[in-house]
Amino acid sequence: MTKKTLFSIFYLITLFSYSQTAEDFFKSGTKKLFSEDYKGAIIDFTKTIEIKPEKAKPYYYRGIAKYELKDYRGAIIDFSKSIEIKPENTEAYLNRGLSKISLNDYDGALNDFFKIIETNPNDAKALFSIGFIKYELKDYHGAIIDLSKAIKSNPENEDAFLTRGSAKFYLEDYRGAVSDFTKVIEIQPVNANAYYQRADAKYHLKDYDGVIFDLSKVIEIEPNNFDAYTKRGLSKILSGHIEDGCSDLSKAGELGQKEAYDLIRKFCK
């Protein structure tokens, strides 16, 4: 056997071992990521990248781990590198956009989400994210348009219904808001936030019985929610059930709601 042949065999064995080690680190990192050991995952993905820097996935998954640890700047760097290697990875654009939202870089986030829409105009996650940004920027009309598109693409997206309902509420479309919050409750019956926001909309519609029903649900889910006791107490008083209402206000005060005592002095004798 010649020296050249021996070198070739040695090279192939070394290359195989090198590749296997990168794969092992990647598998270990993935396992740690899904078991929420984000720091351990970052260590393993970093080792994978040191061995195989040309692969997109380790950067992408390391970016997710950094995102979960709230290292949004580090996550953006990794997602950007993943996109550089594999530009068609729309999930990297999505997660980079979400990272930018966390840093209040709404323009940068919108650019990432629009990039996804160019490829897939019906991408529910991107449409929801665009709608959410518009909601955060108080462009409620624009938010409703994009959130409606997101709902059309994914009719079970409770976050889209919840955000659209909130946008309608701020536009004083209380009936539309009630409809959206009701849809959230149909999808997730123990969503205290949806019950509370629906109660808020019903309060503006003077549907006090409806308010009492919804806030009772909130209290059932969150027994120490003093805001729910306060608003339910006031709704009971306004619907003529003064004693029960004052009892709720007293409970709200016990739980730490200072405003409750002002209402007691005003309505309870």
Side-chain angles (χ1 to χ4, degrees), residues 192-193 195-197 199-200 203 211 214-216 218-219 222-235 245 248-249 251-260 263:
N193 189 22
Y195 279 111
Y196 190 89
Q197 292 201 60
D200 245 356
Y203 186 85
V211 174
D214 282 340
L215 293 176
S216 296
V218 173
I219 291 166
E222 299 177 349
N224 295 323
N225 189 323
F226 55 67
D227 287 327
Y229 275 107
T230 303
K231 185 153 283 188
R232 188 177 74 171
L234 186 57
S235 296
D248 272 351
L249 293 176
K251 181 66 177 178
E254 291 173 12
L255 292 171
Q257 173 59 281
K258 294 179 181 178
E259 181 191 8
L263 294 171

Short mmCIF file of all heavy atoms in Angstrom, two decimals, residues 192-193 195-197 199-200 203 211 214-216 218-219 222-235 245 248-249 251-260 263:
data_model
loop_
_atom_site.label_atom_id
_atom_site.label_comp_id
_atom_site.label_asym_id
_atom_site.label_seq_id
_atom_site.Cartn_x
_atom_site.Cartn_y
_atom_site.Cartn_z
N ALA A 192 -59.07 33.51 30.07
CA ALA A 192 -59.59 34.56 30.96
C ALA A 192 -59.54 35.93 30.30
O ALA A 192 -60.45 36.76 30.48
CB ALA A 192 -58.80 34.57 32.26
N ASN A 193 -58.49 36.19 29.52
CA ASN A 193 -58.34 37.48 28.86
C ASN A 193 -59.49 37.74 27.88
O ASN A 193 -60.02 38.85 27.80
CB ASN A 193 -57.00 37.53 28.12
CG ASN A 193 -56.67 38.91 27.59
OD1 ASN A 193 -57.18 39.92 28.07
ND2 ASN A 193 -55.82 38.97 26.58
N TYR A 195 -62.55 36.44 28.00
CA TYR A 195 -63.77 36.72 28.78
C TYR A 195 -63.75 38.15 29.32
O TYR A 195 -64.77 38.86 29.29
CB TYR A 195 -63.89 35.74 29.95
CG TYR A 195 -64.46 34.39 29.59
CD1 TYR A 195 -63.67 33.25 29.62
CD2 TYR A 195 -65.81 34.24 29.25
CE1 TYR A 195 -64.19 31.99 29.31
CE2 TYR A 195 -66.34 33.00 28.93
CZ TYR A 195 -65.52 31.88 28.96
OH TYR A 195 -66.04 30.64 28.65
N TYR A 196 -62.59 38.58 29.82
CA TYR A 196 -62.50 39.92 30.40
C TYR A 196 -62.72 40.99 29.33
O TYR A 196 -63.47 41.96 29.55
CB TYR A 196 -61.14 40.12 31.08
CG TYR A 196 -61.09 41.40 31.89
CD1 TYR A 196 -61.47 41.40 33.23
CD2 TYR A 196 -60.70 42.61 31.31
CE1 TYR A 196 -61.47 42.56 33.98
CE2 TYR A 196 -60.70 43.77 32.05
CZ TYR A 196 -61.08 43.75 33.38
OH TYR A 196 -61.08 44.91 34.11
N GLN A 197 -62.08 40.81 28.18
CA GLN A 197 -62.24 41.81 27.12
C GLN A 197 -63.66 41.80 26.55
O GLN A 197 -64.19 42.85 26.18
CB GLN A 197 -61.21 41.56 26.02
CG GLN A 197 -59.78 41.85 26.47
CD GLN A 197 -58.85 42.09 25.30
OE1 GLN A 197 -59.04 43.01 24.51
NE2 GLN A 197 -57.83 41.25 25.18
N ALA A 199 -66.27 41.11 28.31
CA ALA A 199 -67.04 41.81 29.34
C ALA A 199 -66.91 43.32 29.18
O ALA A 199 -67.89 44.07 29.32
CB ALA A 199 -66.57 41.38 30.72
N ASP A 200 -65.70 43.78 28.85
CA ASP A 200 -65.46 45.21 28.64
C ASP A 200 -66.33 45.74 27.49
O ASP A 200 -66.92 46.82 27.58
CB ASP A 200 -63.99 45.44 28.30
CG ASP A 200 -63.28 46.25 29.37
OD1 ASP A 200 -63.95 46.70 30.31
OD2 ASP A 200 -62.05 46.44 29.25
N TYR A 203 -69.92 45.84 28.51
CA TYR A 203 -70.14 46.95 29.44
C TYR A 203 -70.49 48.22 28.67
O TYR A 203 -71.39 48.97 29.05
CB TYR A 203 -68.90 47.16 30.29
CG TYR A 203 -69.07 48.19 31.39
CD1 TYR A 203 -69.61 47.83 32.62
CD2 TYR A 203 -68.68 49.52 31.19
CE1 TYR A 203 -69.78 48.77 33.63
CE2 TYR A 203 -68.84 50.46 32.19
CZ TYR A 203 -69.38 50.09 33.41
OH TYR A 203 -69.54 51.03 34.40
N VAL A 211 -71.99 41.08 31.13
CA VAL A 211 -70.75 41.43 31.81
C VAL A 211 -70.56 40.55 33.05
O VAL A 211 -69.49 39.99 33.28
CB VAL A 211 -70.75 42.92 32.24
CG1 VAL A 211 -69.51 43.23 33.09
CG2 VAL A 211 -70.79 43.83 31.03
N ASP A 214 -69.56 36.99 32.10
CA ASP A 214 -68.17 36.87 31.63
C ASP A 214 -67.17 37.04 32.77
O ASP A 214 -66.18 36.32 32.87
CB ASP A 214 -67.88 37.88 30.52
CG ASP A 214 -68.46 37.44 29.18
OD1 ASP A 214 -68.73 36.25 29.02
OD2 ASP A 214 -68.61 38.30 28.29
N LEU A 215 -67.43 38.02 33.65
CA LEU A 215 -66.49 38.25 34.74
C LEU A 215 -66.55 37.14 35.78
O LEU A 215 -65.54 36.85 36.44
CB LEU A 215 -66.76 39.61 35.37
CG LEU A 215 -66.46 40.80 34.45
CD1 LEU A 215 -66.86 42.11 35.11
CD2 LEU A 215 -64.98 40.84 34.07
N SER A 216 -67.69 36.49 35.88
CA SER A 216 -67.78 35.32 36.75
C SER A 216 -66.88 34.20 36.23
O SER A 216 -66.24 33.47 36.99
CB SER A 216 -69.23 34.82 36.86
OG SER A 216 -70.04 35.81 37.48
N VAL A 218 -64.15 34.77 34.46
CA VAL A 218 -62.78 35.22 34.73
C VAL A 218 -62.39 34.85 36.16
O VAL A 218 -61.31 34.30 36.40
CB VAL A 218 -62.64 36.75 34.53
CG1 VAL A 218 -61.26 37.22 34.97
CG2 VAL A 218 -62.89 37.13 33.08
N ILE A 219 -63.29 35.12 37.10
CA ILE A 219 -63.00 34.83 38.51
C ILE A 219 -62.88 33.33 38.75
O ILE A 219 -62.05 32.89 39.56
CB ILE A 219 -64.11 35.45 39.40
CG1 ILE A 219 -64.00 36.98 39.34
CG2 ILE A 219 -64.02 34.93 40.83
CD1 ILE A 219 -65.20 37.71 39.90
N GLU A 222 -59.41 32.80 37.35
CA GLU A 222 -58.40 33.56 38.12
C GLU A 222 -59.05 34.12 39.38
O GLU A 222 -59.50 35.28 39.40
CB GLU A 222 -57.83 34.70 37.26
CG GLU A 222 -57.12 34.23 35.99
CD GLU A 222 -56.63 35.39 35.13
OE1 GLU A 222 -57.01 36.55 35.41
OE2 GLU A 222 -55.87 35.13 34.19
N PRO A 223 -59.12 33.33 40.44
CA PRO A 223 -59.87 33.71 41.65
C PRO A 223 -59.38 35.00 42.32
O PRO A 223 -60.14 35.60 43.09
CB PRO A 223 -59.66 32.50 42.58
CG PRO A 223 -59.33 31.37 41.68
CD PRO A 223 -58.56 31.97 40.55
N ASN A 224 -58.17 35.43 42.05
CA ASN A 224 -57.63 36.64 42.69
C ASN A 224 -57.60 37.85 41.77
O ASN A 224 -56.87 38.81 42.04
CB ASN A 224 -56.23 36.36 43.24
CG ASN A 224 -56.24 35.33 44.35
OD1 ASN A 224 -57.16 35.30 45.18
ND2 ASN A 224 -55.23 34.47 44.38
N ASN A 225 -58.38 37.81 40.71
CA ASN A 225 -58.40 38.92 39.76
C ASN A 225 -59.29 40.03 40.31
O ASN A 225 -60.51 40.03 40.14
CB ASN A 225 -58.91 38.44 38.40
CG ASN A 225 -58.76 39.47 37.31
OD1 ASN A 225 -58.94 40.67 37.54
ND2 ASN A 225 -58.43 39.03 36.12
N PHE A 226 -58.68 41.01 41.00
CA PHE A 226 -59.49 42.06 41.65
C PHE A 226 -60.16 42.98 40.66
O PHE A 226 -61.22 43.56 40.96
CB PHE A 226 -58.67 42.85 42.68
CG PHE A 226 -57.40 43.47 42.19
CD1 PHE A 226 -57.40 44.50 41.27
CD2 PHE A 226 -56.18 43.03 42.68
CE1 PHE A 226 -56.24 45.09 40.84
CE2 PHE A 226 -54.99 43.62 42.27
CZ PHE A 226 -55.01 44.65 41.34
N ASP A 227 -59.59 43.13 39.46
CA ASP A 227 -60.26 43.96 38.45
C ASP A 227 -61.59 43.35 38.03
O ASP A 227 -62.58 44.07 37.80
CB ASP A 227 -59.37 44.14 37.22
CG ASP A 227 -58.20 45.08 37.48
OD1 ASP A 227 -58.37 46.03 38.26
OD2 ASP A 227 -57.11 44.86 36.92
N ALA A 228 -61.62 42.02 37.95
CA ALA A 228 -62.87 41.33 37.59
C ALA A 228 -63.92 41.52 38.67
O ALA A 228 -65.10 41.76 38.37
CB ALA A 228 -62.59 39.85 37.34
N TYR A 229 -63.51 41.42 39.94
CA TYR A 229 -64.45 41.65 41.04
C TYR A 229 -64.97 43.08 41.02
O TYR A 229 -66.16 43.34 41.22
CB TYR A 229 -63.77 41.38 42.38
CG TYR A 229 -63.79 39.93 42.81
CD1 TYR A 229 -62.64 39.16 42.76
CD2 TYR A 229 -64.97 39.33 43.26
CE1 TYR A 229 -62.65 37.82 43.15
CE2 TYR A 229 -64.99 38.00 43.66
CZ TYR A 229 -63.83 37.24 43.61
OH TYR A 229 -63.85 35.92 43.99
N THR A 230 -64.08 44.03 40.74
CA THR A 230 -64.48 45.44 40.72
C THR A 230 -65.50 45.72 39.64
O THR A 230 -66.57 46.30 39.90
CB THR A 230 -63.24 46.35 40.50
OG1 THR A 230 -62.28 46.10 41.50
CG2 THR A 230 -63.64 47.82 40.52
N LYS A 231 -65.20 45.27 38.44
CA LYS A 231 -66.12 45.54 37.32
C LYS A 231 -67.41 44.76 37.47
O LYS A 231 -68.48 45.25 37.12
CB LYS A 231 -65.43 45.24 35.98
CG LYS A 231 -66.27 45.62 34.77
CD LYS A 231 -65.43 45.93 33.56
CE LYS A 231 -64.79 47.30 33.67
NZ LYS A 231 -64.11 47.71 32.43
N ARG A 232 -67.32 43.51 37.98
CA ARG A 232 -68.54 42.74 38.19
C ARG A 232 -69.40 43.40 39.26
O ARG A 232 -70.63 43.48 39.13
CB ARG A 232 -68.22 41.29 38.58
CG ARG A 232 -69.47 40.40 38.61
CD ARG A 232 -69.16 38.95 38.92
NE ARG A 232 -68.82 38.74 40.33
CZ ARG A 232 -68.67 37.55 40.89
NH1 ARG A 232 -68.81 36.45 40.16
NH2 ARG A 232 -68.34 37.43 42.17
N GLY A 233 -68.75 43.89 40.32
CA GLY A 233 -69.50 44.57 41.38
C GLY A 233 -70.21 45.80 40.86
O GLY A 233 -71.41 46.02 41.15
N LEU A 234 -69.54 46.60 40.07
CA LEU A 234 -70.14 47.80 39.50
C LEU A 234 -71.29 47.44 38.57
O LEU A 234 -72.35 48.10 38.57
CB LEU A 234 -69.08 48.60 38.75
CG LEU A 234 -69.50 49.98 38.22
CD1 LEU A 234 -70.02 50.86 39.35
CD2 LEU A 234 -68.33 50.65 37.52
N SER A 235 -71.14 46.38 37.78
CA SER A 235 -72.19 45.95 36.86
C SER A 235 -73.41 45.46 37.62
O SER A 235 -74.56 45.70 37.21
CB SER A 235 -71.67 44.83 35.94
OG SER A 235 -70.62 45.32 35.13
N GLY A 245 -73.38 43.54 44.52
CA GLY A 245 -72.32 44.36 43.92
C GLY A 245 -71.36 44.89 44.95
O GLY A 245 -70.13 44.87 44.75
N ASP A 248 -68.95 42.27 46.02
CA ASP A 248 -67.85 42.11 45.07
C ASP A 248 -66.80 43.21 45.23
O ASP A 248 -65.59 42.96 45.18
CB ASP A 248 -68.38 42.13 43.63
CG ASP A 248 -68.80 40.75 43.14
OD1 ASP A 248 -68.54 39.76 43.83
OD2 ASP A 248 -69.39 40.67 42.05
N LEU A 249 -67.27 44.43 45.45
CA LEU A 249 -66.34 45.54 45.63
C LEU A 249 -65.50 45.35 46.90
O LEU A 249 -64.30 45.64 46.91
CB LEU A 249 -67.10 46.87 45.70
CG LEU A 249 -67.79 47.31 44.40
CD1 LEU A 249 -68.58 48.59 44.64
CD2 LEU A 249 -66.78 47.52 43.27
N LYS A 251 -64.67 42.46 48.18
CA LYS A 251 -63.70 41.41 47.85
C LYS A 251 -62.55 41.98 47.04
O LYS A 251 -61.37 41.65 47.27
CB LYS A 251 -64.39 40.28 47.08
CG LYS A 251 -63.47 39.12 46.72
CD LYS A 251 -62.97 38.38 47.95
CE LYS A 251 -62.12 37.19 47.57
NZ LYS A 251 -61.58 36.49 48.77
N ALA A 252 -62.87 42.86 46.10
CA ALA A 252 -61.83 43.50 45.29
C ALA A 252 -60.87 44.29 46.18
O ALA A 252 -59.65 44.26 45.99
CB ALA A 252 -62.45 44.41 44.24
N GLY A 253 -61.43 44.98 47.16
CA GLY A 253 -60.60 45.74 48.09
C GLY A 253 -59.68 44.83 48.90
O GLY A 253 -58.51 45.15 49.11
N GLU A 254 -60.23 43.71 49.34
CA GLU A 254 -59.42 42.74 50.10
C GLU A 254 -58.24 42.25 49.27
O GLU A 254 -57.16 41.97 49.81
CB GLU A 254 -60.28 41.54 50.52
CG GLU A 254 -61.32 41.85 51.57
CD GLU A 254 -62.24 40.66 51.81
OE1 GLU A 254 -61.92 39.54 51.33
OE2 GLU A 254 -63.28 40.84 52.46
N LEU A 255 -58.45 42.14 47.96
CA LEU A 255 -57.41 41.63 47.07
C LEU A 255 -56.42 42.71 46.63
O LEU A 255 -55.47 42.41 45.92
CB LEU A 255 -58.05 40.98 45.83
CG LEU A 255 -58.84 39.68 46.10
CD1 LEU A 255 -59.61 39.26 44.85
CD2 LEU A 255 -57.88 38.56 46.53
N GLY A 256 -56.69 43.96 47.04
CA GLY A 256 -55.71 45.01 46.77
C GLY A 256 -56.13 46.09 45.79
O GLY A 256 -55.31 46.94 45.42
N GLN A 257 -57.40 46.09 45.37
CA GLN A 257 -57.88 47.11 44.44
C GLN A 257 -58.32 48.35 45.21
O GLN A 257 -59.39 48.38 45.81
CB GLN A 257 -59.03 46.55 43.59
CG GLN A 257 -59.73 47.55 42.69
CD GLN A 257 -58.82 48.20 41.68
OE1 GLN A 257 -58.07 49.12 42.03
NE2 GLN A 257 -58.86 47.74 40.45
N LYS A 258 -57.49 49.39 45.22
CA LYS A 258 -57.79 50.60 46.00
C LYS A 258 -59.03 51.32 45.50
O LYS A 258 -59.79 51.91 46.28
CB LYS A 258 -56.58 51.54 45.97
CG LYS A 258 -55.34 50.97 46.67
CD LYS A 258 -54.17 51.94 46.58
CE LYS A 258 -52.93 51.35 47.26
NZ LYS A 258 -51.76 52.26 47.15
N GLU A 259 -59.24 51.30 44.17
CA GLU A 259 -60.38 51.99 43.58
C GLU A 259 -61.70 51.44 44.12
O GLU A 259 -62.70 52.16 44.17
CB GLU A 259 -60.35 51.83 42.06
CG GLU A 259 -61.48 52.53 41.34
CD GLU A 259 -61.57 52.14 39.86
OE1 GLU A 259 -60.85 51.22 39.45
OE2 GLU A 259 -62.38 52.75 39.16
N ALA A 260 -61.70 50.18 44.56
CA ALA A 260 -62.93 49.55 45.04
C ALA A 260 -63.53 50.32 46.21
O ALA A 260 -64.76 50.46 46.32
CB ALA A 260 -62.65 48.10 45.44
N LEU A 263 -65.51 53.29 45.16
CA LEU A 263 -66.83 52.89 44.65
C LEU A 263 -67.76 52.49 45.78
O LEU A 263 -68.97 52.75 45.71
CB LEU A 263 -66.65 51.73 43.65
CG LEU A 263 -65.90 52.07 42.35
CD1 LEU A 263 -65.60 50.81 41.55
CD2 LEU A 263 -66.74 53.03 41.50
#
